Amino acid sequence: MTQEAQILTFIIVVSIISLGYAGWLASWVLKKDMGTPKMQEISNAIKEGAVAFLNRQYKTIISLALLTAVIIFGIYYGVQNNASLAWKTGIAFIFGSFSSALAGYVGMHIAIRSNVRTAAASTRSLDEALKVSLRGGAVSGVTIVAMSLLGISILFLLYGGLSNPEHVPYMLVGYGFGASFVALFAQLGGGIYTKAADVGADLVGKVEAGIPEDDPRNPAVIADLVGDNVGDCAGRGADLFESTAAENIGAMILGIALYQHFGLKGILFPLLARAFGLIAAMFGILIVKTKEDGEPMQALNKGYYLTSILAAVGFWVATDLLLNNNMWFFYAGLVGIVTSILFVFITQYYTEYRYRPVKEIAESAKTGPATVIITGFAVALENTVLPAIVIGIALIMSYYFGLKGSAIEFANNPAGGAITGGGFFGTAIATMGMLSTSAYVLAMDTFGPITDNAGGIIEMSDQPEAIRKKTDKLDAVGNTTKALTKGYAVGSAALAAFLLFNAYLDDVGELMMKAKNLIGQPMSNPLVQKIYETAHTINLADVHVFVAGLLGAMLVFIFASLAIAAVGKAAYSVISDVRAQFKENPGIMKGTSKPDYGRTVDIVTKTALKKMVLPGILPILSPIIIGLIFREFGFGAQAVAGFIMVATIVGVLFAIVLNNGGGAWDNAKKYVETGALGGKGSDAHKAAVVGDTVGDPFKDTAGPSLHVLIKLLATVTLVMAPLFL
Amino acid sequence: MTQEAQILTFIIVVSIISLGYAGWLASWVLKKDMGTPKMQEISNAIKEGAVAFLNRQYKTIISLALLTAVIIFGIYYGVQNNASLAWKTGIAFIFGSFSSALAGYVGMHIAIRSNVRTAAASTRSLDEALKVSLRGGAVSGVTIVAMSLLGISILFLLYGGLSNPEHVPYMLVGYGFGASFVALFAQLGGGIYTKAADVGADLVGKVEAGIPEDDPRNPAVIADLVGDNVGDCAGRGADLFESTAAENIGAMILGIALYQHFGLKGILFPLLARAFGLIAAMFGILIVKTKEDGEPMQALNKGYYLTSILAAVGFWVATDLLLNNNMWFFYAGLVGIVTSILFVFITQYYTEYRYRPVKEIAESAKTGPATVIITGFAVALENTVLPAIVIGIALIMSYYFGLKGSAIEFANNPAGGAITGGGFFGTAIATMGMLSTSAYVLAMDTFGPITDNAGGIIEMSDQPEAIRKKTDKLDAVGNTTKALTKGYAVGSAALAAFLLFNAYLDDVGELMMKAKNLIGQPMSNPLVQKIYETAHTINLADVHVFVAGLLGAMLVFIFASLAIAAVGKAAYSVISDVRAQFKENPGIMKGTSKPDYGRTVDIVTKTALKKMVLPGILPILSPIIIGLIFREFGFGAQAVAGFIMVATIVGVLFAIVLNNGGGAWDNAKKYVETGALGGKGSDAHKAAVVGDTVGDPFKDTAGPSLHVLIKLLATVTLVMAPLFL
């Protein structure tokens, strides 16, 4: 067994161990008691609704995915006339879709069982409640990352990666596209569902009927709790599954540029770094604990910092083992890890009410809802400054570290030739660094809906005030972690996208070389050099590229528009149903008879799934249409690149506007609810509630869906590249 | 006198005649009677406030402009070591700033005198009121376009353009930058003022005190009426002054590419096309008239269509005279004219309540302010689709028409050499086509604040219902024309910016040639060819350009954030003052004593001017900083190009979101006020008012300021280009 084969085996073993670890966490959580019958009743209703939604959603997604698989096969078979590649890409696509869906399913399966156990644990101790909810969330986090790693490793092995490493990574792009495909629909459908239920329940309950949040008399209350699971948990899970999958494949493609120096090792590096990241997260999750009067956020932060440190160590080991211990590459990885920590800080600053931005929004509530929206929107736009600067510095630093590292390799081994794509490999390593803590971050993220649900269960089962305070505390922490994860997701999406479209340009170059029968020629060949340069030049001053870029920016806006409008429409269906239920059955408001929760769940499920199709198909079709139109002018591949690059830039920043803007409005309301500016029930509070409601579809539907859009654009173009030439 | 000198003389004569025509219009308007003493009293208060604001604003702008002139001189003297160019560019900058400011001043001088005359005329006939308001607005429109043309023609002549036409256009860039400089501050300061007064007056009057709009008891009511003049009239005037100036200069620079074929004529073409456009507008303005029960919008449209047709004829004549009657160039101009008409239609569809989008927003008012904002924002984002497609098609069509036209010239005269920049010249001609109706469009725009003011004067001077209905009708038309002008301004900004950064790339190429002593060498020289290609390649796949692009997109968002936040803060100062006045003097609300209008005007003036400085300086400094930082990496000029190109793409689309979104919210409220959905005073109306207020800073501060930002970025980089190499 070669050393490379040993490493690949090690990676596969780590993935399997991680899945075992997730299984162990799951059984640990499931053994916990399920509280009072009342609690179980509520939890069962949530479970039922969530499973029903996911089953129906997956049915829609599967039929769309199969259709897409056939199209992919047709393109590779028809355009490329390559049956073997057509089969491999098609199967990789199906496998990627399936893995992404399965990972989301498993995660949610445990999350909807962890909520009631967290509620029950909170009647005993805060520490136990924290552990149950975090570990319940970690099942999702670890499973997702491990499955993505396992899937890619197995495909790489099966497709002959050990013997033909320079070409196999291109065969895996279908896997990344499959993952993106499912992720987009999961995030969109879940995001529309969760906010339609939330907004609908709030408007009709709090505003019209005057009953508090999570009041059992509100027929939409279960739909709201279901939404937390299908949106935040299944949606974000699929999002980060595809981040890790697409990024791994993209990094492997960029690793090919260093093949003359590192051989197979450079291509395996991303997988090994990810495996070490998984190990780091497993430790980080286990050390989280709190005292009864402790601050759960601090406990979670401790785990996060440990994970980051261990991931950094793992990175160093991977660099030592696979990249000739070239420290510049390690530094590039550190850039990524630091970037992820900075994103967490920036997100906190802009979304927590301890700081200026949220306080400003809350202050503006004194003059009514209009000024809340105006001030909040100004703050949301301001939000883009620091992330843009951090991403910019991270890209440039890691690029130059990559160049430095490559120069050293060249100096040590001039026979291997100068490394043309070394800078891009540096940015790829930074992305790996940023994503190395993803399993832990995902655990923190799924912790959010679990504690939110637990709070709802405690509220609806009439638990004493002291217990309620405990779950409220956890719920507040969950809100923070959800905001942080979105910051992390969008930051990593930005880096991953840059990596992915460089992979796309490499792919275009490879296709151009194939067309000229130059495959296998070294970079020193002037013809090869010329092709590389042409493929890697996306001239924005060219009218075709510029217009494509304009359309790319437009795509982001229309996509966000469709997502936000979908929430509005689906929320309206919730409101209509709740009004009808109140009218049909006056006993509901008196508390003498129970509302029909299932009916509301059913209605919002149908509307959300119907409304996810158009925004879902748009980003898949649009780069293909752009590519085909501009191919007529001889600029297909370049126009598509311009299209996705500008879409990425705008998408990243606009997602930050939507995510953090929504988060800030949410917390401005919470700030008022702490008693500031008149407290609950005051006019300022009513104005702040308007801001919160407006922010809902921003932060939980359109924003997170934009992360997926960015990566999906990159993977769909990677797969469809043969069409554009 | 050569034919070229004759043409230049003709252009100058047309400009002077146009100024005379504007003077005649002004005397025609000023001879009209000024109505009752009560009307005059109100009008005088508006006049006083507007003049006070403009005087103070210009003081601030002049000191900033002088500072900038010194910096420009220093850069050209120090970096380029070229005293003559330093003087010429510095003086051109000052001349441009001065002309822009003067044009804005003259326009507003007449506008604030036309309002009361329109009010008085409306007591007699609708036709007379329409004519007074349109001709009052036309003084502004014609003066602005004529001054911009005259300024450039004179500078071109003085700097020796007739003998050295290949280099003089580069010396004029300072003029364009000066115009942009003043335009940005005028639009920002005026935009902040107008909306702070409007939002403040509305919130404290309608919402808190429960008194109607334009009620004389509201101390902010005069400030609100002043705002219409300083924002819409002076602001947009400066904006379109700079559009026409910058576009003329940019087109002249691109015309240099055709010098071997057309000689001086290709460089004079933009000026002649503009002169014919002026003539067309003068006729268009004169034919506008209406019956007593007529539809004023139809009358205005008739004038617009006549202007468009005459402008198209003028274009054909100019092509025949100067461009060898090459019809492809004429077609490119037609593309621009058609684009401007399409933009008018699209804007109407998205902002008038006859159509789906505004109706949808109004419908959503039934479930409260939150859904009004959500639906309105979704509609605002959807707005970007058609404009992006229209701009894209216009750019590509005119580019290919330019290529075709150039190919014919080359075929007819192979000795002149192939025309490298022919496609870009095509897009420049389309921009000229779009801007050829600008004097008429500007007249329609300034018509808006005049009729708005007239309505306010009628309201405050207690005129009978029948008269009120007449001015309400005109005011409604004014709202439409204001929205249309914004659509037109942003569309032309998009085309102009594309032209301008191609001029920038030409400039960079020219500087690179100078550095290598290649000036005067033909394009057939391979070294020249290479430099041209390098200068015209802005590789978005390069990490430096990509990061600069990311920062460019961010600039748009932070700029909009600062503009919107400024309105919020200045509005707060209005609210505080009005509250204080009500408290200090209880007689105001009883109607027994008059509020101190001047005090409110004074406070909002101070705040608006203070708040305009930061967002104003940001777009001037940021490209310079980007250029200097990336020069360290050897990518200064390219990074700046990436920065402004992505900023342009995002800026155009985001301006459309803000303009049309705000316009749609405004009209959704107006739709409810027609009696739909419960009409005035209903809950739906209250919700719609929130949307209207949110839209105010979007559509009248941030959106229009973004148009200027786009062009300012292009002109500042044109001037600062020597710094980046």
Side-chain angles (χ1 to χ4, degrees):
Chain A
M1 211 179 193
T2 61
Q3 200 199 344
E4 284 84 355
Q6 282 171 0
I7 286 168
L8 191 57
T9 312
F10 171 76
I11 293 164
I12 291 174
V13 168
V14 169
S15 322
I16 293 168
I17 289 175
S18 304
L19 289 176
Y21 172 91
W24 170 74
L25 285 183
S27 79
W28 185 89
V29 169
L30 293 177
K31 265 186 223 138
K32 293 280 166 183
D33 91 287
M34 290 168 62
T36 65
K38 176 94 187 163
M39 287 182 183
Q40 292 178 30
E41 188 195 326
I42 303 161
S43 160
N44 284 334
I46 300 174
K47 222 181 326 189
E48 215 176 275
V51 171
F53 175 80
L54 224 58
N55 284 344
R56 273 209 233 169
Q57 187 185 35
Y58 280 177
K59 238 181 251 168
T60 312
I61 295 178
I62 285 170
S63 47
L64 288 169
L66 286 179
L67 182 70
T68 310
V70 172
I71 294 170
I72 292 172
F73 183 86
I75 287 171
Y76 274 80
Y77 195 76
V79 179
Q80 290 240 304
N81 202 9
N82 187 333
S84 146
L85 194 59
W87 276 112
K88 281 178 178 164
T89 308
I91 288 172
F93 175 82
I94 292 176
F95 189 41
S97 320
F98 176 77
S99 308
S100 173
L102 184 65
Y105 201 92
V106 169
M108 215 197 61
H109 184 86
I110 299 304
I112 53 180
R113 283 164 177 81
S114 307
N115 52 15
V116 68
R117 290 167 172 86
T118 302
S122 69
T123 62
R124 292 185 297 270
S125 87
L126 183 66
D127 181 54
E128 197 184 328
L130 173 66
K131 277 185 184 151
V132 173
S133 48
L134 180 68
R135 292 181 180 187
V139 174
S140 179
V142 173
T143 305
I144 281 167
V145 179
M147 291 243 334
S148 125
L149 185 57
L150 187 63
I152 293 173
S153 308
I154 288 176
L155 273 186
F156 184 74
L157 197 64
L158 289 182
Y159 285 0
L162 287 176
S163 55
N164 192 15
E166 280 180 277
H167 301 109
V168 169
Y170 291 110
M171 298 172 191
L172 304 181
V173 294
Y175 187 83
F177 180 36
S180 305
F181 188 92
V182 170
L184 185 68
F185 285 103
Q187 181 67 68
L188 262 177
I192 295 170
Y193 183 106
T194 177
K195 288 303 121 171
D198 190 359
V199 170
D202 275 13
L203 284 177
V204 81
K206 280 195 226 172
V207 182
E208 282 189 25
I211 50 179
E213 199 173 332
D214 290 342
D215 189 296
R217 285 172 295 175
N218 189 337
V221 71
I222 295 291
D224 187 9
L225 291 169
V226 168
D228 294 331
N229 292 295
V230 301
D232 290 336
C233 170
R236 191 103 62 264
D239 176 2
L240 283 168
F241 180 92
E242 78 120 332
S243 270
T244 57
E247 177 264 343
N248 264 339
I249 296 163
M252 289 165 88
I253 290 177
L254 294 181
I256 297 171
L258 292 85
Y259 189 71
Q260 303 294 328
H261 291 273
F262 297 126
L264 181 51
K265 286 177 180 173
I267 295 164
L268 287 178
F269 178 77
L271 302 180
L272 186 61
R274 173 62 33 82
F276 282 129
L278 259 173
I279 296 171
M282 290 194 271
F283 281 104
I285 290 158
L286 283 186
I287 68 148
V288 173
K289 61 168 188 256
T290 181
K291 285 186 196 140
E292 193 57 22
D293 57 350
E295 197 37 82
M297 192 65 222
Q298 281 174 9
L300 290 178
N301 276 338
K302 237 182 237 171
Y304 176 56
Y305 293 134
L306 178 70
T307 306
S308 298
I309 292 168
L310 290 179
V313 173
F315 234 90
W316 181 81
V317 175
T319 315
D320 188 49
L321 273 174
L322 298 181
L323 301 182
N324 297 343
N325 194 21
N326 187 324
M327 291 306 280
W328 289 108
F329 293 127
F330 171 62
Y331 296 152
L334 277 190
V335 166
I337 294 174
V338 171
T339 302
S340 86
I341 295 172
L342 287 177
F343 259 81
V344 166
F345 282 133
I346 296 169
T347 311
Q348 276 185 313
Y349 176 72
Y350 274 103
T351 55
E352 286 189 9
Y353 59 66
R354 287 181 288 157
Y355 304 105
R356 192 236 348 138
V358 174
K359 275 203 181 129
E360 238 174 58
I361 298 174
E363 281 290 326
S364 71
K366 286 193 290 188
T367 39
T371 42
V372 168
I373 303 296
I374 292 175
T375 312
F377 197 65
V379 166
L381 293 171
E382 182 193 320
N383 254 299
T384 53
V385 176
L386 293 176
I389 293 173
V390 168
I391 293 171
I393 293 177
L395 281 177
I396 289 185
M397 277 181 76
S398 55
Y399 182 84
Y400 278 93
F401 289 170
L403 283 186
K404 286 241 178 202
S406 308
I408 288 175
E409 292 305 321
F410 178 55
N412 289 342
N413 172 25
I419 301 169
T420 319
F424 294 124
F425 191 63
T427 65
I429 296 178
T431 314
M432 291 173 218
M434 181 139 191
L435 282 169
S436 62
T437 54
S438 55
Y440 187 87
V441 173
L442 255 174
M444 287 211 295
D445 187 45
T446 310
F447 167 87
I450 293 174
T451 53
D452 192 336
N453 268 220
I457 292 170
I458 290 289
E459 172 91 26
M460 290 178 70
S461 60
D462 301 314
Q463 294 294 313
E465 183 67 17
I467 312 285
R468 239 186 250 196
K469 278 215 168 138
K470 247 186 271 182
T471 51
D472 278 357
K473 204 172 184 178
L474 285 177
D475 188 13
V477 171
N479 274 330
T480 304
T481 60
K482 275 194 285 183
L484 300 185
T485 324
K486 274 176 245 165
Y488 175 85
V490 72
S492 60
L495 294 188
F498 188 74
L499 171 167
L500 284 171
F501 47 65
N502 277 298
Y504 163 76
L505 301 179
D506 275 4
D507 195 11
V508 169
E510 169 103 351
L511 288 168
M512 288 164 77
M513 303 234 307
K514 214 179 260 172
K516 302 213 163 166
N517 277 322
L518 287 166
I519 292 288
Q521 296 285 325
M523 192 54 98
S524 50
N525 179 332
L527 278 174
V528 173
Q529 180 72 33
K530 178 87 192 149
I531 283 181
Y532 183 87
E533 268 174 29
T534 309
H536 282 260
T537 300
I538 306 305
N539 185 9
L540 192 54
D542 177 85
V543 72
H544 310 89
V545 176
F546 182 80
V547 168
L550 179 72
L551 296 174
M554 180 266 272
L555 173 71
V556 170
F557 292 130
I558 181 63
F559 177 82
S561 165
L562 289 172
I564 293 170
V567 172
K569 275 172 197 150
Y572 197 76
S573 72
V574 173
I575 294 172
S576 304
D577 180 60
V578 171
R579 280 179 185 160
Q581 289 207 30
F582 281 152
K583 210 172 160 190
E584 289 160 20
N585 184 353
I588 296 176
M589 275 300 284
K590 293 182 203 136
T592 54
S593 69
K594 272 180 56 181
D596 186 348
Y597 300 125
R599 193 172 113 182
T600 318
V601 166
D602 203 52
I603 284 174
V604 63
T605 299
K606 272 187 205 150
T607 327
L609 291 181
K610 217 174 80 187
K611 292 282 165 197
M612 83 177 179
V613 176
L614 181 59
I617 286 177
L618 190 68
I620 298 167
L621 286 187
S622 56
I624 299 176
I625 293 170
I626 296 283
L628 293 179
I629 290 177
F630 283 94
R631 196 178 64 170
E632 296 303 309
F633 297 95
F635 286 86
Q638 287 98 316
V640 167
F643 179 76
I644 63 171
M645 285 175 187
V646 177
T648 299
I649 288 175
V650 180
V652 165
L653 295 183
F654 204 56
I656 293 171
V657 169
L658 296 171
N659 288 343
N660 293 3
W665 271 315
D666 186 357
N667 280 329
K669 183 198 70 175
K670 292 219 166 77
Y671 177 64
V672 176
E673 287 175 353
T674 63
L677 306 162
K680 262 193 175 174
S682 64
D683 278 347
H685 183 242
K686 274 181 203 140
V689 167
V690 172
D692 179 39
T693 309
V694 169
D696 270 338
F698 285 22
K699 76 177 194 299
D700 289 317
T701 312
S705 300
L706 275 176
H707 313 163
V708 192
L709 171 107
I710 292 162
K711 289 167 289 176
L712 179 101
L713 284 177
T715 52
V716 68
T717 44
L718 252 175
V719 171
M720 300 297 175
L723 271 185
F724 308 144
L725 286 164
Chain B
M1 211 177 190
T2 60
Q3 200 199 344
E4 285 84 355
Q6 282 171 357
I7 287 167
L8 190 57
T9 313
F10 173 75
I11 293 164
I12 291 174
V13 168
V14 170
S15 322
I16 293 169
I17 289 175
S18 305
L19 289 176
Y21 172 90
W24 170 74
L25 284 183
S27 79
W28 185 89
V29 169
L30 292 177
K31 264 186 227 139
K32 294 280 164 184
D33 91 289
M34 291 168 63
T36 66
K38 176 93 188 168
M39 287 182 183
Q40 293 179 30
E41 187 194 327
I42 303 160
S43 161
N44 284 334
I46 299 173
K47 223 183 318 188
E48 213 177 276
V51 170
F53 175 81
L54 223 59
N55 285 344
R56 272 210 234 169
Q57 188 186 34
Y58 280 176
K59 241 182 247 168
T60 313
I61 296 178
I62 286 170
S63 47
L64 287 169
L66 286 177
L67 183 71
T68 310
V70 172
I71 293 170
I72 291 173
F73 183 86
I75 286 171
Y76 275 79
Y77 195 77
V79 178
Q80 289 240 304
N81 202 10
N82 187 334
S84 146
L85 193 60
W87 276 113
K88 281 179 178 161
T89 308
I91 287 172
F93 174 83
I94 291 176
F95 188 42
S97 320
F98 176 77
S99 309
S100 171
L102 184 65
Y105 202 91
V106 169
M108 214 195 62
H109 184 84
I110 299 304
I112 54 181
R113 283 163 177 81
S114 308
N115 51 15
V116 68
R117 289 167 174 87
T118 301
S122 69
T123 62
R124 291 185 296 273
S125 86
L126 183 66
D127 180 55
E128 194 183 333
L130 173 67
K131 278 185 184 148
V132 172
S133 47
L134 179 68
R135 292 181 180 188
V139 174
S140 180
V142 174
T143 306
I144 282 167
V145 178
M147 293 244 332
S148 127
L149 185 58
L150 186 63
I152 293 172
S153 308
I154 289 176
L155 273 186
F156 184 75
L157 196 64
L158 289 181
Y159 286 1
L162 288 177
S163 54
N164 191 17
E166 281 182 278
H167 301 108
V168 169
Y170 291 109
M171 298 173 191
L172 304 181
V173 294
Y175 187 84
F177 180 36
S180 305
F181 188 92
V182 170
L184 185 67
F185 285 103
Q187 180 67 68
L188 262 176
I192 295 169
Y193 183 105
T194 177
K195 288 303 121 170
D198 189 2
V199 170
D202 275 11
L203 284 176
V204 82
K206 281 195 225 171
V207 183
E208 281 189 26
I211 50 179
E213 199 172 333
D214 290 340
D215 189 295
R217 284 171 296 175
N218 189 337
V221 71
I222 294 291
D224 187 8
L225 291 169
V226 168
D228 294 331
N229 292 294
V230 300
D232 289 335
C233 169
R236 189 103 62 261
D239 176 2
L240 283 170
F241 180 92
E242 78 120 331
S243 271
T244 56
E247 178 265 342
N248 264 340
I249 297 164
M252 289 165 88
I253 290 178
L254 294 182
I256 299 172
L258 291 86
Y259 189 70
Q260 302 295 326
H261 292 272
F262 297 124
L264 180 51
K265 286 179 181 171
I267 296 166
L268 287 179
F269 177 75
L271 302 181
L272 186 62
R274 174 60 34 80
F276 282 129
L278 259 173
I279 296 172
M282 289 194 271
F283 281 103
I285 289 159
L286 283 186
I287 68 146
V288 174
K289 61 168 188 259
T290 181
K291 286 184 196 142
E292 193 57 23
D293 57 349
E295 196 38 82
M297 192 65 223
Q298 281 173 8
L300 291 178
N301 277 339
K302 236 183 239 170
Y304 176 56
Y305 293 134
L306 177 70
T307 307
S308 299
I309 292 168
L310 291 180
V313 174
F315 233 91
W316 181 80
V317 175
T319 315
D320 187 48
L321 274 175
L322 297 181
L323 301 182
N324 296 344
N325 194 21
N326 188 322
M327 290 307 280
W328 289 107
F329 292 128
F330 170 63
Y331 296 151
L334 277 190
V335 166
I337 294 175
V338 171
T339 302
S340 87
I341 295 172
L342 288 177
F343 259 80
V344 166
F345 282 133
I346 295 169
T347 311
Q348 276 185 315
Y349 176 72
Y350 273 104
T351 56
E352 285 189 8
Y353 57 66
R354 286 182 288 159
Y355 304 105
R356 193 239 342 142
V358 174
K359 277 206 180 129
E360 235 173 62
I361 299 174
E363 280 290 325
S364 70
K366 287 193 290 189
T367 39
T371 41
V372 169
I373 303 295
I374 291 175
T375 312
F377 197 64
V379 166
L381 293 170
E382 184 195 317
N383 255 298
T384 54
V385 176
L386 293 176
I389 292 174
V390 169
I391 294 171
I393 293 176
L395 282 177
I396 288 185
M397 277 181 76
S398 55
Y399 183 84
Y400 278 94
F401 289 169
L403 283 186
K404 285 243 179 200
S406 308
I408 287 176
E409 293 304 322
F410 178 55
N412 289 342
N413 170 23
I419 301 169
T420 319
F424 295 123
F425 190 64
T427 65
I429 295 179
T431 314
M432 291 172 219
M434 181 141 192
L435 282 170
S436 62
T437 53
S438 55
Y440 188 86
V441 173
L442 256 172
M444 285 212 296
D445 187 44
T446 310
F447 168 85
I450 292 174
T451 53
D452 192 338
N453 267 221
I457 291 170
I458 290 290
E459 171 90 27
M460 289 176 73
S461 60
D462 301 316
Q463 294 296 312
E465 185 67 18
I467 312 283
R468 236 185 252 196
K469 277 216 168 139
K470 246 186 269 181
T471 51
D472 278 358
K473 203 173 186 180
L474 286 177
D475 187 13
V477 171
N479 274 330
T480 304
T481 59
K482 276 194 285 182
L484 299 186
T485 324
K486 275 177 244 165
Y488 174 83
V490 73
S492 59
L495 294 188
F498 188 74
L499 170 168
L500 284 170
F501 46 65
N502 278 300
Y504 164 76
L505 301 179
D506 275 4
D507 195 12
V508 168
E510 169 104 350
L511 289 167
M512 288 165 76
M513 303 235 307
K514 214 179 259 174
K516 301 213 164 164
N517 279 321
L518 287 167
I519 293 285
Q521 297 285 324
M523 192 54 98
S524 51
N525 179 332
L527 278 174
V528 173
Q529 180 71 34
K530 177 90 194 147
I531 284 182
Y532 183 87
E533 268 174 29
T534 310
H536 282 259
T537 301
I538 305 305
N539 185 8
L540 193 54
D542 176 84
V543 73
H544 309 90
V545 176
F546 182 80
V547 168
L550 179 72
L551 296 174
M554 179 267 270
L555 173 71
V556 171
F557 292 129
I558 181 65
F559 177 82
S561 165
L562 288 172
I564 293 170
V567 172
K569 274 170 197 152
Y572 197 74
S573 73
V574 173
I575 293 171
S576 305
D577 180 61
V578 171
R579 280 181 186 157
Q581 288 207 31
F582 282 151
K583 210 172 160 189
E584 288 160 21
N585 184 354
I588 297 177
M589 275 301 283
K590 289 183 207 136
T592 54
S593 69
K594 273 181 55 181
D596 187 348
Y597 300 125
R599 193 173 112 183
T600 317
V601 167
D602 202 54
I603 284 175
V604 63
T605 299
K606 273 187 204 150
T607 328
L609 292 180
K610 217 174 81 187
K611 292 284 166 197
M612 82 176 179
V613 176
L614 182 60
I617 287 178
L618 190 69
I620 297 167
L621 286 186
S622 56
I624 300 176
I625 294 170
I626 296 283
L628 292 178
I629 290 176
F630 283 94
R631 196 179 65 171
E632 296 304 309
F633 297 97
F635 286 86
Q638 286 98 317
V640 167
F643 180 76
I644 63 170
M645 284 176 187
V646 177
T648 298
I649 288 175
V650 180
V652 166
L653 296 182
F654 204 54
I656 292 172
V657 169
L658 297 171
N659 288 344
N660 292 2
W665 270 315
D666 187 354
N667 281 330
K669 183 196 71 175
K670 293 220 166 79
Y671 178 63
V672 176
E673 287 175 353
T674 62
L677 305 162
K680 262 193 176 176
S682 65
D683 278 346
H685 183 242
K686 274 181 202 141
V689 167
V690 172
D692 178 39
T693 310
V694 169
D696 270 339
F698 285 21
K699 76 176 193 300
D700 289 316
T701 313
S705 300
L706 276 176
H707 313 163
V708 192
L709 171 109
I710 292 163
K711 289 166 289 175
L712 180 102
L713 284 176
T715 52
V716 68
T717 45
L718 253 175
V719 171
M720 300 295 176
L723 271 184
F724 309 144
L725 286 164

